[in-house]
Amino acid sequence: MAVPMNSDEDDASAMKALAKEHDLSIRGAIATKPPFSYMRAFFDAMMDPHDADANPRGYINLAVAQNHLTIEPVQYRLRQSFVDAPLPDSACGYDNMRGSERLRVAIAKHETRMFGGDVSPEQLCVSAGAGAVIDNLFMAIASEGDGVLIPAPYYPAFDNDLRVRNGVRAIAVHGDDAASLPTPSQLADAAEAAEAKGVRIRALLITNPSNPLGVVYTQADLAERITWALTHDLHCVVDEVYASSVFNFDRKTRPDKKFAFFSALNLEKSGCLAVPSAKCKTYLHHVYGMSKDFCASGYRIGVLRTRNEGVLRAMDNVGYFCAVPGPMQHAVAEMLGVFCDSRFVFHPPRGFNV
């Protein structure tokens, strides 16, 4: 079921009035909106955290999904990176705007091991967070006024990520229940309804595991929806920023595979997508980052994996505006290299508690 798109006339009038009042462009007026409705409450809670002893009346903030269990080992490993591999002078200068070679090699190794696909450094674009990746990708593949189908419920900041600079519309599509992806027929109905209102559909955006419900979609369900999009020449963007934040799963003891995570990167390799490989190369894009699994949103590391040569060339240009600082690229590359070599097992100094 597609969510009806309300009239934007009142909002457009308000934006024109705001632009006139402050001598802004319409884009500037739109950017004055909070990126999500609960932003003020979110930061109020962040500034007043609960502590059983020091601040028992403080807030427990459930509005952000981060794996806090990883903070200590990740922070230790990042600090140790500058000891084990001193910062080179090259980190102070310009580099590839899609990320340094060393960082992309480390991320490619990490993603290949974690997702099971074949990821090469040449396919990667590193930007200052997954939000920047989404913004830049849709700048390249969608035009102002175009629509993107998103299974609902979804991450509320996607609306802002798509709209604030690119003018792209998020169109929520519900499945049979909150934990189910919309079926191909439900996606087709939503696309048809949008087209009837003059909104051209350009892409399907899926988050797996999902936000906000944490649903891990089955291999068959994910493959069917991606196949539907690619068959209709729609871009399919799969956001897997929660890929490692899943419950412990053992294929030997849980043969039903109910909670198994299957990456979109591995679906083509395993023959699950019923489309030519050329379609995957053009239309299938993968988003990852360090904010969730590593609980490192402040590091501002987001990664796009795509084999679309046009998108890659566009990222060479716009990556300039959201590049990760050289010292951080150096440290993260070193950190990921150690984690990949040790399978996320490291030997902390005496007295360090993980």
Side-chain angles (χ1 to χ4, degrees), residues 48 60 150 157 193 224 247 253 270 299 327-328 334 339:
D48 187 20
I60 297 174
I150 310 180
E224 184 179 40
F247 291 106
T253 60
S270 59
Y299 290 8
M328 180 59 76
E334 177 69 16
F339 278 155

Side-chain angles (χ1 to χ4, degrees), residues 83-116:
V83 176
D84 297 340
L87 188 68
D89 291 344
S90 59
C92 299
Y94 289 116
D95 205 330
N96 189 323
M97 293 304 164
R98 290 198 280 120
S100 69
E101 177 73 13
R102 186 163 180 258
L103 177 59
R104 286 183 291 111
V105 167
I107 292 174
K109 184 177 180 180
H110 172 67
E111 289 198 354
T112 297
R113 190 192 67 160
M114 185 167 61
F115 297 125

Side-chain angles (χ1 to χ4, degrees), residues 46-59:
M46 290 281 286
M47 296 298 292
D48 187 20
H50 170 82
D51 184 278
D53 298 318
N55 190 22
R57 296 183 64 84
Y59 292 95

Side-chain angles (χ1 to χ4, degrees), residues 35 61 101 143 146 201 219 222 293 312:
N61 194 344
E101 177 73 13
S143 299
D146 286 347
I201 298 301
Q219 183 181 35
L222 192 62
D293 288 345
L312 289 169

